[in-house]
Amino acid sequence: MPGGQLLGDVAPNFEANTTAGCIHFQDFLGNSLGILFSHPRDFTPVCATELGRAAKLAPEFAKKNRITLSIDRVEDCLAWSKDINAYNGEEPTEKLPFPIIHDKNPDLFILLGMLDPVEKDEKDMPVTARVVFVIGPGKKPKLSIIYPATTGRNFDEILRVVTSLQLTAEKRVATPVDWKEAKKLFLKGVFTKELPSGKKYLRPTPQP
Ligand code: BEZ
């Protein structure tokens, strides 16, 4: 730990049974950015709130291939999806804006280093950690986050880092501590003041 996937590795090309049918992971990713996240169990409270939040954020995550990994059977994942939609105040259908992979053996959890060696379930088996891999368009992991099962993730933070990854891949910039998109913070725009030094460090924004 953390994770069997390191920065610079190529994401494995596994075949998996999901709530949206059989997928080949690299085909699923295509040439877009992808997010693979695990959750410990279906029909558990923290996981339900996480998947509910991930579903609510579908418009913000548009054009990013998201998929979550479960130890539970596809039938259970589909039934649980109804609960998640109901929790979100939506029609209780089996459809979520991302598929759920059923990892029955659990080969993928082992391959991807997602089992927590410390935390054990009632059968004394390692519990699945809450892992997030953001995989870049070149199918190489750009970021990994790992939390224990007892701590839910912050999907706004995942969105923030994905936005930063896309920005820093396009432009020669780095985003600082607690960075938030300037466009969202400063709705009237940010301007660069030309200075004798040529350094572009004064960036005023109109009074909100
Ligand atoms: C939960 O989602 O509530 C949960 C799942 C496994 C272990 C601990 C909490």
Side-chain angles (χ1 to χ4, degrees):
M1 297 274 202
Q5 284 284 280
L6 299 174
L7 299 184
D9 285 353
V10 175
N13 193 17
F14 55 81
E15 184 182 294
N17 200 13
T18 82
T19 50
C22 178
I23 59 137
H24 291 85
F25 188 55
Q26 288 196 359
D27 294 345
F28 172 79
L29 290 172
N31 292 321
S32 309
L33 183 140
I35 302 163
L36 170 67
F37 62 105
S38 59
H39 64 270
R41 289 309 299 236
D42 292 4
F43 301 105
T44 52
V46 177
C47 296
T49 57
E50 282 193 325
L51 267 69
R53 182 74 186 135
K56 279 256 184 226
L57 286 172
E60 285 80 356
F61 278 101
K63 299 207 188 104
K64 291 154 192 95
N65 297 315
R66 294 184 299 163
I67 194 159
T68 182
L69 193 52
S70 174
I71 201 130
D72 294 297
R73 296 174 313 155
V74 165
E75 305 89 273
D76 292 329
C77 296
L78 289 167
W80 186 44
S81 301
K82 290 189 189 173
D83 288 1
I84 294 165
N85 281 319
Y87 165 75
N88 272 350
E90 312 281 349
E91 187 87 3
T93 65
E94 291 181 341
K95 194 154 172 52
L96 289 176
F98 42 81
I100 308 178
I101 299 174
H102 167 47
D103 184 24
K104 67 173 177 234
N105 287 325
D107 296 342
L108 289 176
F109 285 116
I110 294 168
L111 173 74
L112 298 167
M114 290 174 163
L115 295 181
D116 186 332
V118 177
E119 203 162 332
K120 302 281 168 60
D121 66 12
E122 60 289 349
K123 293 185 188 142
D124 209 31
M125 297 300 286
V127 167
T128 308
R130 300 182 192 277
V131 180
V132 183
F133 290 122
V134 180
I135 300 156
K139 300 188 175 53
K140 293 190 176 172
K142 302 299 281 179
L143 174 125
S144 69
I145 298 176
I146 183 161
Y147 281 33
T150 41
T151 301
R153 287 158 289 198
N154 180 332
F155 280 77
D156 292 309
E157 168 61 6
I158 296 169
L159 185 59
R160 189 189 76 89
V161 294
V162 166
T163 309
S164 167
L165 286 171
Q166 290 188 307
L167 176 73
T168 56
E170 269 173 32
K171 309 258 188 276
R172 289 177 61 79
V173 292
T175 60
V177 62
D178 299 337
W179 171 83
K180 296 226 168 72
E181 247 184 308
K183 266 192 291 196
K184 286 192 188 142
L185 278 180
F186 306 111
L187 298 175
K188 292 185 179 167
V190 178
F191 308 92
T192 305
K193 177 116 183 115
E194 294 301 329
L195 295 168
S197 66
K199 297 183 197 293
K200 300 181 185 305
Y201 59 92
L202 272 181
R203 282 167 293 162
T205 181
Q207 180 90 5

